[in-house]
Structures are given as structure tokens and as C-alpha cells.
Amino acid sequence: MHPPSLLERSIEAYATVTERDRLERLRELAETLSGVRILHVNSTATGGGVAELLRSIVPLCNDLGVETDWLVMDADDDFFEVTKAVHNGLQGSGEPLTAEMKAIYREVTEANAAEIEAEYDLIVVHDPQPLGMLERLAERMPDAPIVWRCHVDLTDPVDEYRAFVSEYTDRIDHGIFSRTAYAKTIDVAETSVVYPSIDPVTEKNRSLDEAELATERDRLDPLSFDEPVVTQVSRFDPWKDQFGTLEAYRTAREAVPELQLVLVGGMAGDDPEGLELYERVAREAVDDPDVHVMTDLPDTTVNALQRLSDVVVQKSLREGFGLVVAEALWKGTPVVGSTAGGIPLQIVDGHNGYLVEPDDATGAGNRLVDLLEHDERRTTFGENAREHVRDRFLLPRQLVDLLEIFVEALE
Ligand code: UDP
């Protein structure tokens, strides 16, 4: 296990985007939790939404006076092949789960659990990767409630994988899911639904001035913002359906011939599928100079792209929540997204973007055209978008929800 290096955060920085009452409530909850030691465990320090959330939540809790550590599991690709299969199985597709895969999972999770030496009063494990650690942690710290924060889309899990995860869930005191429907799928003693959130003060989401935007525009050359741009920001993962987005782009291009498409992706440390998919997407796009496939962009550049694009697209086949949708909406950019998982919580069809069925690439293409051809509609949707996120999907709201659950779990 290792602790990632984190930047400090101050709760004061949120005063301009959050109502006073909410910040007061946070301080109150933090006061109740003072003296409590909390541990978060997950399987990657970078890439993907969970790492993104923890990078904000952990330093902010410490700033509020709640002693909070974050440890990342140490594991190699063999383990991550297994946990990616578990992730895929829970989201509804998958190869058979073999005895060898289970053995790898057991061995690595037990070895990681054995490395935790400090004592904690509450343990929060994220997603299925650390579940195998729970038995040992529960033995070592029998009084510490265990919270499972599951970020996965559990709409329709493969039975074999649901059963595998369920072998570990009797150790969990409280499960937190991103949608009500997910909570019904897996048997956990107590459950809550907490919507994830974006952090408005990070490099990824803070406002950028004209000079900064100009610098980023130059950096993104030969992409031109004088012509229409549609962007998707996602890990290279089959669920994110970059090929469906390419199809939607080709449909839209028939009506908007100068259209450019940007597919930005990162490689999460716990996702061995990423590189292969990136190469397939890049090959598919190689003959089209207006499709730009980019990897591992700095956060400021992702921020600028989400702002400067005319429309953002997120046509996922499954999606636990989809922070990238809230990120784009917060920047005033309408999103064409699918009805998968957490996306419809964020897109109000015809208000801040459009929803299409996950397999409807042509429909997505037509919705892109609708927004690209109507400047006023795009502007109105963009204004609605920011307001929709302000109240529901910013970090202080999520932190209030989480700390309330922690207080309750400790009672
Ligand atoms: N992300 C990024 N660069 C990339 C791809 C993704 O910074 O090239 C970030 C993205 O901005 C978001 C997170 O990774 O904050 C992805 O979270 P989301 O919930 O959308 O999907 P997940 O990867 O967790 O399935």
C-alpha cells in the first residue's frame, strides 16, 4: 500500500461557489468527527473518476480537521486483469471467472491488507478491487465500521461476478452507490445513494482567463476553434464507446462538413485494457485529419478543451456516474450523452443537452447537428448546464452527504 502525494486544499476556496449554509454544515459535521481517524483505500492514484474524487476529498477533510488517510493498493497487471474482469462483469459483460483469477485476487488483496499498520476508526474502500482486504481489516480493527463506496454501474451485472462480490459484502456496514437502482443489486446491510461531484477549484475545473485559453488554443494546434469542435474525454475503455462516438461524428459531418472531433483519453493505472483500445481507436481515425486522438493531456488543457468545444459527447454503454459530463456542463458546454447509468442524472434532455439510447450513434450524430446549427440554443443550454451542476454536483454537497453517513456509521 502507498499514500499518493496530494496538494493541500482549503475549505475557504469554496465560498464563492457554495452557499454559506452548506459550508457551515460541513464545519459542523467535521466538528462531530474530530478525533476520528478515517482511511480510504482504492486501487489507483491517477486516472479515472475515483482517483479524481479522492484527490479532492482527502485533503479537504484534513483541512476541515477530520484526520483522513488515503492508501493505494500495490499490485501488478495480473491483479488488474482480474479486477478489470470483475469491473466488466459487474457492468454486464465478461469472460468466465476462473479459480486462478480468484486465487490472484485473494493473494494480492490479503498481502495489501497485511501492510496496513496504523489504526483507524472508520474504513472506506472504493470499488471491488479492495474488497478482499476486508476480512483481515475487520479482524484487526473490529470496532471500525466499514463503508463500501461503489462507483460502478450495477444496472445489469453478470451473475457470476455479482456472486463473487457478494462473498465479501457481509463485512460491509454501509454501502454507498451512485444511483438507487444500483443499491438493489448487491446485498449490503445498510445502503445510501450519494451522487458524485466535481471539484470546482482544481486545475481541471477552475475558470480560465482569455490569456490562458489562448495559450491552450495554441497548444492544441492543428485543432482549430474557428471551426466546430466536438469532444469526448474518457479513459480508453470499451464502455466509453469511442467507436460509437466516431460513428456519431461521421453522421454529424454529413450536415456539418467542417466538423472536428477530439477523443481525449488517459490510461488509469489499474486499467490494462487502455493501451490496446487507444491503439485501435487511433488506427480507426488515422485517415481523417479532422479526428484528433490525444492522450495524457495536462488538466489545464482538458479544462480548456471542455470549455472551448461547441458540444461535448459522452455516449457510454455503461457509466457509474460520468464525472466528465458534470465537468463539461459546469463549463457551460452542452453535452450529448447516452441514457446509461449516471448520465441522465446530469443531462436534462432538451435543457442542458440531449439524451440518446446508448446504441444510437445516428441519433447522437443528429443531436450534435441540432446543437451545432443553433448557436442560440447552444448558448441557452450552456447557461442551464452550469446552473444544473452548481446546486447538485459540486464537491461541498457530496462531502456533506459522505460525512453524514460517516457520523451515522460511527454512532
Ligand atoms: N480524465 C482526464 N484525462 C483523460 C481522461 C479522463 O483527466 O484523458 C478524467 C476526467 O476529466 C474525469 C475522470 O478522469 O475527471 C473520469 O471520470 P468519469 O467518472 O467520467 O469516468 P471513469 O474513468 O471513472 O469511468
CSV table of all heavy atoms in Angstrom, one decimal, residues 48-50 52 204 233-235 240 264-266 296 299 302 306 319 322-324 327, ligand 1:
chain,number,residue,atom,x,y,z
A,48,GLY,N,-9.1,8.2,-14.1
A,48,GLY,CA,-10.5,7.8,-13.7
A,48,GLY,C,-11.1,8.6,-12.6
A,48,GLY,O,-10.4,9.4,-11.9
A,49,GLY,N,-12.4,8.4,-12.4
A,49,GLY,CA,-13.1,9.3,-11.6
A,49,GLY,C,-12.8,9.1,-10.1
A,49,GLY,O,-12.9,10.0,-9.3
A,50,VAL,N,-12.5,7.8,-9.6
A,50,VAL,CA,-12.3,7.6,-8.2
A,50,VAL,C,-11.1,8.4,-7.7
A,50,VAL,O,-11.1,9.0,-6.7
A,50,VAL,CB,-12.2,6.1,-7.9
A,50,VAL,CG1,-12.0,5.9,-6.4
A,50,VAL,CG2,-13.4,5.3,-8.4
A,52,GLU,N,-9.8,10.9,-9.0
A,52,GLU,CA,-10.2,12.3,-9.2
A,52,GLU,C,-10.9,12.8,-7.9
A,52,GLU,O,-10.6,13.8,-7.3
A,52,GLU,CB,-11.1,12.5,-10.4
A,52,GLU,CG,-11.4,13.9,-10.8
A,52,GLU,CD,-10.3,14.5,-11.7
A,52,GLU,OE1,-9.4,13.8,-12.2
A,52,GLU,OE2,-10.4,15.8,-11.8
A,204,LYS,N,-8.4,21.3,-13.3
A,204,LYS,CA,-9.3,20.7,-14.3
A,204,LYS,C,-10.6,21.6,-14.4
A,204,LYS,O,-11.1,21.7,-15.5
A,204,LYS,CB,-9.7,19.3,-13.8
A,204,LYS,CG,-10.8,18.6,-14.6
A,204,LYS,CD,-10.2,17.9,-15.9
A,204,LYS,CE,-9.1,16.9,-15.6
A,204,LYS,NZ,-9.6,15.7,-14.8
A,233,VAL,N,-14.0,13.2,-23.5
A,233,VAL,CA,-12.9,13.0,-22.6
A,233,VAL,C,-13.2,11.7,-21.8
A,233,VAL,O,-14.1,11.7,-21.1
A,233,VAL,CB,-12.7,14.1,-21.6
A,233,VAL,CG1,-11.6,13.9,-20.7
A,233,VAL,CG2,-12.5,15.5,-22.3
A,234,SER,N,-12.5,10.6,-22.1
A,234,SER,CA,-12.7,9.4,-21.4
A,234,SER,C,-11.5,8.5,-21.4
A,234,SER,O,-10.8,8.5,-22.4
A,234,SER,CB,-13.8,8.6,-22.1
A,234,SER,OG,-15.0,9.2,-22.2
A,235,ARG,N,-11.4,7.7,-20.4
A,235,ARG,CA,-10.4,6.6,-20.5
A,235,ARG,C,-10.7,5.8,-21.7
A,235,ARG,O,-11.9,5.7,-22.1
A,235,ARG,CB,-10.5,5.6,-19.3
A,235,ARG,CG,-10.0,6.2,-18.0
A,235,ARG,CD,-10.1,5.2,-16.8
A,235,ARG,NE,-11.5,4.9,-16.5
A,235,ARG,CZ,-12.1,3.8,-16.8
A,235,ARG,NH1,-11.5,2.8,-17.4
A,235,ARG,NH2,-13.4,3.6,-16.5
A,240,LYS,N,-16.9,3.1,-22.8
A,240,LYS,CA,-17.0,4.6,-23.1
A,240,LYS,C,-17.3,4.8,-24.6
A,240,LYS,O,-17.6,5.9,-25.0
A,240,LYS,CB,-15.6,5.3,-22.8
A,240,LYS,CG,-15.1,5.1,-21.4
A,240,LYS,CD,-16.0,5.8,-20.3
A,240,LYS,CE,-15.4,5.6,-18.9
A,240,LYS,NZ,-16.3,6.2,-17.9
A,264,VAL,N,-10.1,12.5,-26.3
A,264,VAL,CA,-9.0,12.6,-25.3
A,264,VAL,C,-9.1,11.5,-24.3
A,264,VAL,O,-10.2,11.2,-23.8
A,264,VAL,CB,-9.1,13.9,-24.5
A,264,VAL,CG1,-7.9,14.1,-23.6
A,264,VAL,CG2,-9.4,15.1,-25.3
A,265,GLY,N,-8.0,10.8,-24.1
A,265,GLY,CA,-8.1,9.7,-23.1
A,265,GLY,C,-6.9,9.6,-22.3
A,265,GLY,O,-5.8,10.0,-22.7
A,266,GLY,N,-7.1,9.1,-21.1
A,266,GLY,CA,-5.9,8.8,-20.3
A,266,GLY,C,-5.9,7.3,-20.0
A,266,GLY,O,-6.8,6.6,-20.3
A,296,ASP,N,-3.2,11.6,-22.3
A,296,ASP,CA,-2.5,12.2,-21.2
A,296,ASP,C,-2.2,13.7,-21.3
A,296,ASP,O,-1.1,14.2,-21.2
A,296,ASP,CB,-1.2,11.4,-21.0
A,296,ASP,CG,-1.5,9.9,-20.7
A,296,ASP,OD1,-2.4,9.7,-19.9
A,296,ASP,OD2,-0.8,9.1,-21.2
A,299,ASP,N,-4.2,18.8,-17.0
A,299,ASP,CA,-5.5,19.1,-16.6
A,299,ASP,C,-6.0,20.5,-17.2
A,299,ASP,O,-7.1,20.7,-17.5
A,299,ASP,CB,-5.6,19.2,-15.1
A,299,ASP,CG,-5.7,17.8,-14.5
A,299,ASP,OD1,-5.8,16.8,-15.3
A,299,ASP,OD2,-5.7,17.6,-13.3
A,302,VAL,N,-7.3,19.9,-20.6
A,302,VAL,CA,-8.6,19.2,-20.6
A,302,VAL,C,-9.6,20.2,-20.3
A,302,VAL,O,-10.7,20.3,-20.9
A,302,VAL,CB,-8.6,18.0,-19.6
A,302,VAL,CG1,-10.0,17.5,-19.5
A,302,VAL,CG2,-7.6,16.9,-20.0
A,306,GLN,N,-12.8,21.3,-22.7
A,306,GLN,CA,-14.2,21.2,-22.3
A,306,GLN,C,-14.9,22.5,-22.4
A,306,GLN,O,-16.1,22.6,-22.7
A,306,GLN,CB,-14.3,20.6,-20.9
A,306,GLN,CG,-13.9,19.2,-20.8
A,306,GLN,CD,-13.7,18.7,-19.3
A,306,GLN,OE1,-13.2,19.4,-18.5
A,306,GLN,NE2,-14.1,17.4,-19.0
A,319,GLU,N,-22.2,3.5,-17.4
A,319,GLU,CA,-21.5,4.6,-16.8
A,319,GLU,C,-21.9,4.8,-15.4
A,319,GLU,O,-23.1,5.1,-15.1
A,319,GLU,CB,-21.8,5.9,-17.6
A,319,GLU,CG,-21.0,7.1,-17.2
A,319,GLU,CD,-19.5,6.9,-17.5
A,319,GLU,OE1,-19.0,7.0,-18.7
A,319,GLU,OE2,-18.7,6.6,-16.5
A,322,GLY,N,-20.1,9.3,-14.4
A,322,GLY,CA,-19.6,10.0,-15.5
A,322,GLY,C,-19.3,11.5,-15.1
A,322,GLY,O,-20.0,12.4,-15.5
A,323,LEU,N,-18.2,11.6,-14.3
A,323,LEU,CA,-17.8,13.0,-13.9
A,323,LEU,C,-17.5,13.9,-15.1
A,323,LEU,O,-17.8,15.1,-15.0
A,323,LEU,CB,-16.5,12.9,-13.1
A,323,LEU,CG,-16.5,12.3,-11.7
A,323,LEU,CD1,-15.2,12.2,-11.1
A,323,LEU,CD2,-17.5,13.1,-10.8
A,324,VAL,N,-17.1,13.3,-16.2
A,324,VAL,CA,-16.8,14.2,-17.4
A,324,VAL,C,-18.0,14.9,-17.8
A,324,VAL,O,-17.9,16.0,-18.4
A,324,VAL,CB,-16.2,13.4,-18.5
A,324,VAL,CG1,-14.7,13.0,-18.3
A,324,VAL,CG2,-17.0,12.1,-18.8
A,327,GLU,N,-18.3,17.9,-15.5
A,327,GLU,CA,-17.2,18.8,-15.8
A,327,GLU,C,-17.5,19.7,-17.0
A,327,GLU,O,-17.3,20.9,-17.0
A,327,GLU,CB,-15.9,18.0,-16.1
A,327,GLU,CG,-15.3,17.3,-14.9
A,327,GLU,CD,-14.2,16.3,-15.2
A,327,GLU,OE1,-13.8,16.2,-16.4
A,327,GLU,OE2,-13.7,15.7,-14.2
B,1,UDP,N1,-9.8,12.3,-17.3
B,1,UDP,C1,-8.7,13.1,-17.6
B,1,UDP,N2,-8.0,12.9,-18.8
B,1,UDP,C2,-8.3,12.0,-19.7
B,1,UDP,C3,-9.4,11.2,-19.4
B,1,UDP,C4,-10.2,11.3,-18.2
B,1,UDP,O1,-8.3,13.9,-16.8
B,1,UDP,O2,-7.6,11.9,-20.7
B,1,UDP,C5,-10.5,12.5,-16.1
B,1,UDP,C6,-11.8,13.2,-16.4
B,1,UDP,O3,-11.6,14.6,-16.5
B,1,UDP,C7,-12.7,12.8,-15.2
B,1,UDP,C8,-12.1,11.4,-14.8
B,1,UDP,O4,-10.9,11.3,-15.5
B,1,UDP,O5,-12.4,13.6,-14.1
B,1,UDP,C9,-13.1,10.3,-15.4
B,1,UDP,O6,-14.1,10.1,-14.5
B,1,UDP,P1,-15.5,9.5,-15.0
B,1,UDP,O7,-16.4,9.4,-13.8
B,1,UDP,O8,-16.1,10.3,-16.2
B,1,UDP,O9,-15.2,8.1,-15.6
B,1,UDP,P2,-14.3,6.8,-15.0
B,1,UDP,O10,-13.0,6.9,-15.7
B,1,UDP,O11,-14.3,6.9,-13.6
B,1,UDP,O12,-15.1,5.6,-15.5
